[in-house]
Amino acid sequence: MNVRGEHYRTVWLERRTVRMINQPLIPHSFEIVDLKDYRETAEAIRNMVVRGAGAIGATAGFGMAQAALQAPAEDPVAFIEKAAEVLRATRPTAQDLFYAIDRVLAAALAGPRERIAEIAVAEANAIADEGAERGEAIGKAGAELIKDGCRILTHCNAGWLAFVDWGSALSPIYVARRQGKRLFVFADETRPRCQGARLTAWELAGEGVPHAVIADNAAGHYMRAGEIDMVIVGSDRIAANGDVANKIGTYEKAVLAKENGIPFYVAAPTSTIDMNCPTGDDIPIEERSEDEVLYMFGKDDEGKMTRARIAPAETHARNPAFDVTPAKYVTAIITENGIVEPGETGTERE
Amino acid sequence: MNVRGEHYRTVWLERRTVRMINQPLIPHSFEIVDLKDYRETAEAIRNMVVRGAGAIGATAGFGMAQAALQAPAEDPVAFIEKAAEVLRATRPTAQDLFYAIDRVLAAALAGPRERIAEIAVAEANAIADEGAERGEAIGKAGAELIKDGCRILTHCNAGWLAFVDWGSALSPIYVARRQGKRLFVFADETRPRCQGARLTAWELAGEGVPHAVIADNAAGHYMRAGEIDMVIVGSDRIAANGDVANKIGTYEKAVLAKENGIPFYVAAPTSTIDMNCPTGDDIPIEERSEDEVLYMFGKDDEGKMTRARIAPAETHARNPAFDVTPAKYVTAIITENGIVEPGETGTERE
């Protein structure tokens, strides 16, 4: 999407360097990070320099390509398999991560040994390109659901920063906006990492979409007040039965939407669907550092990045990064192939 | 309750000075603020130097007493009536504020003109003493509901800092703890002002109650995971039909508790019940400054209080401070007179 008039993707490969937008600095500054080694790329995934299901997947694909470029000519396979292992260990929940690693690995191993790097690079680029195309297709499918004047709630950031381009949950909003529809977006701030207040608000401002950030606590209030017409969120993994893993708090919004008769949509590429996970209870939920809850991060009045401790020194926190929304709360899933009921996901991947 | 071995109330009157714990500094430092004029006392309510339904009420009562002490002997009534007006305009939602102002005003006006200050001071002290006693009575009644090993979720701070002493939602926890019951408390951090992470965690740490702070988003996850046995929250105002106004996000937790079959208790003194409000929709909901959402406040690594902007410069926020939980989600209300079903509140005040 556009940043100050220039088109950017969230992550790309230039020769042997993975380049990505430094997402923890958004919205305060816009910087590109250069990663010269696949281990640095893995570290960037773990530290959430890049985050969001699709962007993590594309980055992992590029990390594999980078490993293939770094691999010793005499024995590239062991090196690449080791890289797959390192990249797999970075984040446990996002299905796209495993999908991209496995896909680049399989393509690289299937071809002739001397072309392994070339094949890996082509496959990683294909994953990124498909990600961007799928984002746009999700946008076109989802925009059909958005009426003129619609007031939409979203949670976390499933925008273009979470993918390679376009995004999942925000893509229908961008398409509807370009179709000239009037919209208003309530962006949950999405504690603890505030991806809604930081990233979604930054994206919406960049695309000129009218919006307000709200505390996560306020979403139910606005639903009950009749000020929200629909909810659209993304997903990190969808189980075969249609249960949806997404950012912590998604389950709360889904239950509240159902209670208030508001449609609740999940927008995600079909690569998010994990047919090997029978139900949501089989999806591993990452527990992250308690410091994400005990501290707040932002820019102080002098323009310096700062962190501020909120809780007493002796207090601990618990910090599950994701939750599971059972399929019964999901009105429909918006995919690049169209809109499906959660019960139909089993046939969608074929 | 105890602070470093000394007993404190949240607010008290010494001669003509209202003294109170400076709550925005908790948990980082413990300071007492001295207010010499009722207008300063009103400002302290507005700026949330003191907050929480019961503490606001007691403070407003002391502000009225202070006004009576400041009033010119020749025409004290106009001065005191003006003070009531100023104090009434500080915060719109808490029923206890209006209750205390009206009660001190009525008592002062009913007595002989020359004893007006003495009567106002006695009435204000009586309100504070009753608040402390009611807090303890709520604790004793509520502790009956808490089984050994219970895991309790609470939202915001309805502890002793929110009252004169003991508190409402936390009082049963303190009583149960002193009865030797094993407990674990999940404290919602309670964005945007983080009273859960700051105040509730500080109180629980002070009383030695095992606890963890969680992002508000995580409460539903733990309910669904079967890790929460009951929810106890406070209230700023209860309508005649049992609808409950409380800190923003309470409604979300109530819906989620019902969905997961978890009892949801509201602990509040009967003075919180407003028989002049037929339903929750008649309770005015305060909208506070958007800066509370757009910035985070805390202590930086050098120990200095700091604020950090989270959202982009061009982004606005909406910030309702309270929401209304319809009576159907409330299992029971814990009052100083015992435990009542929400439908029974109409008779409770008589």
PDB file of all heavy atoms in Angstrom, chain B residues 51 62 99 151 168 240 306 318:
ATOM      1  N   ARG B  51     -10.789   8.548  43.221  1.00  0.00           N
ATOM      2  CA  ARG B  51     -11.761   7.968  42.292  1.00  0.00           C
ATOM      3  C   ARG B  51     -12.362   6.739  42.956  1.00  0.00           C
ATOM      4  O   ARG B  51     -11.886   6.305  44.009  1.00  0.00           O
ATOM      5  CB  ARG B  51     -11.181   7.644  40.913  1.00  0.00           C
ATOM      6  CG  ARG B  51      -9.775   7.260  40.837  1.00  0.00           C
ATOM      7  CD  ARG B  51      -9.419   6.029  41.595  1.00  0.00           C
ATOM      8  NE  ARG B  51     -10.216   4.877  41.200  1.00  0.00           N
ATOM      9  CZ  ARG B  51     -10.368   3.776  41.907  1.00  0.00           C
ATOM     10  NH1 ARG B  51      -9.783   3.657  43.085  1.00  0.00           N
ATOM     11  NH2 ARG B  51     -11.100   2.774  41.479  1.00  0.00           N
ATOM     12  N   PHE B  62     -17.056  15.481  52.444  1.00  0.00           N
ATOM     13  CA  PHE B  62     -16.048  16.314  53.119  1.00  0.00           C
ATOM     14  C   PHE B  62     -15.931  17.685  52.443  1.00  0.00           C
ATOM     15  O   PHE B  62     -15.711  18.697  53.107  1.00  0.00           O
ATOM     16  CB  PHE B  62     -14.686  15.615  53.136  1.00  0.00           C
ATOM     17  CG  PHE B  62     -14.618  14.451  54.095  1.00  0.00           C
ATOM     18  CD1 PHE B  62     -14.090  13.232  53.704  1.00  0.00           C
ATOM     19  CD2 PHE B  62     -15.075  14.582  55.413  1.00  0.00           C
ATOM     20  CE1 PHE B  62     -14.011  12.160  54.591  1.00  0.00           C
ATOM     21  CE2 PHE B  62     -15.004  13.507  56.306  1.00  0.00           C
ATOM     22  CZ  PHE B  62     -14.469  12.294  55.894  1.00  0.00           C
ATOM     23  N   TYR B  99     -25.556  11.410  46.395  1.00  0.00           N
ATOM     24  CA  TYR B  99     -26.089  10.974  47.684  1.00  0.00           C
ATOM     25  C   TYR B  99     -25.422  11.745  48.832  1.00  0.00           C
ATOM     26  O   TYR B  99     -26.088  12.293  49.712  1.00  0.00           O
ATOM     27  CB  TYR B  99     -25.861   9.460  47.809  1.00  0.00           C
ATOM     28  CG  TYR B  99     -26.138   8.876  49.163  1.00  0.00           C
ATOM     29  CD1 TYR B  99     -27.439   8.543  49.540  1.00  0.00           C
ATOM     30  CD2 TYR B  99     -25.103   8.637  50.071  1.00  0.00           C
ATOM     31  CE1 TYR B  99     -27.698   7.985  50.789  1.00  0.00           C
ATOM     32  CE2 TYR B  99     -25.347   8.085  51.319  1.00  0.00           C
ATOM     33  CZ  TYR B  99     -26.646   7.769  51.670  1.00  0.00           C
ATOM     34  OH  TYR B  99     -26.896   7.223  52.904  1.00  0.00           O
ATOM     35  N   ARG B 151     -10.980 -19.165  42.212  1.00  0.00           N
ATOM     36  CA  ARG B 151     -10.244 -18.281  41.298  1.00  0.00           C
ATOM     37  C   ARG B 151     -11.218 -17.216  40.809  1.00  0.00           C
ATOM     38  O   ARG B 151     -12.227 -17.526  40.178  1.00  0.00           O
ATOM     39  CB  ARG B 151      -9.677 -19.097  40.142  1.00  0.00           C
ATOM     40  CG  ARG B 151      -8.635 -20.131  40.646  1.00  0.00           C
ATOM     41  CD  ARG B 151      -8.462 -21.264  39.679  1.00  0.00           C
ATOM     42  NE  ARG B 151      -9.730 -21.912  39.378  1.00  0.00           N
ATOM     43  CZ  ARG B 151      -9.878 -22.862  38.450  1.00  0.00           C
ATOM     44  NH1 ARG B 151      -8.838 -23.274  37.756  1.00  0.00           N
ATOM     45  NH2 ARG B 151     -11.067 -23.400  38.225  1.00  0.00           N
ATOM     46  N   SER B 168     -15.651  -2.653  47.952  1.00  0.00           N
ATOM     47  CA  SER B 168     -16.853  -3.442  47.670  1.00  0.00           C
ATOM     48  C   SER B 168     -16.441  -4.781  47.037  1.00  0.00           C
ATOM     49  O   SER B 168     -16.435  -5.803  47.710  1.00  0.00           O
ATOM     50  CB  SER B 168     -17.833  -2.654  46.790  1.00  0.00           C
ATOM     51  OG  SER B 168     -17.254  -2.316  45.546  1.00  0.00           O
ATOM     52  N   ALA B 240     -33.081   1.154  39.340  1.00  0.00           N
ATOM     53  CA  ALA B 240     -34.143   0.505  40.115  1.00  0.00           C
ATOM     54  C   ALA B 240     -34.430  -0.906  39.612  1.00  0.00           C
ATOM     55  O   ALA B 240     -34.815  -1.786  40.383  1.00  0.00           O
ATOM     56  CB  ALA B 240     -35.405   1.365  40.078  1.00  0.00           C
ATOM     57  N   THR B 306       5.925   9.184  33.404  1.00  0.00           N
ATOM     58  CA  THR B 306       6.024   9.560  32.003  1.00  0.00           C
ATOM     59  C   THR B 306       4.721   9.229  31.296  1.00  0.00           C
ATOM     60  O   THR B 306       3.911   8.458  31.801  1.00  0.00           O
ATOM     61  CB  THR B 306       7.198   8.806  31.328  1.00  0.00           C
ATOM     62  OG1 THR B 306       7.372   9.293  30.008  1.00  0.00           O
ATOM     63  CG2 THR B 306       6.948   7.302  31.260  1.00  0.00           C
ATOM     64  N   ARG B 318     -12.351   7.462  21.073  1.00  0.00           N
ATOM     65  CA  ARG B 318     -13.561   7.674  21.858  1.00  0.00           C
ATOM     66  C   ARG B 318     -13.360   6.960  23.186  1.00  0.00           C
ATOM     67  O   ARG B 318     -12.714   5.917  23.248  1.00  0.00           O
ATOM     68  CB  ARG B 318     -14.791   7.157  21.108  1.00  0.00           C
ATOM     69  CG  ARG B 318     -15.085   8.057  19.892  1.00  0.00           C
ATOM     70  CD  ARG B 318     -16.382   7.692  19.228  1.00  0.00           C
ATOM     71  NE  ARG B 318     -17.538   8.013  20.086  1.00  0.00           N
ATOM     72  CZ  ARG B 318     -18.794   7.730  19.737  1.00  0.00           C
ATOM     73  NH1 ARG B 318     -19.054   7.135  18.585  1.00  0.00           N
ATOM     74  NH2 ARG B 318     -19.786   8.043  20.549  1.00  0.00           N
TER      75      ARG B 318
END
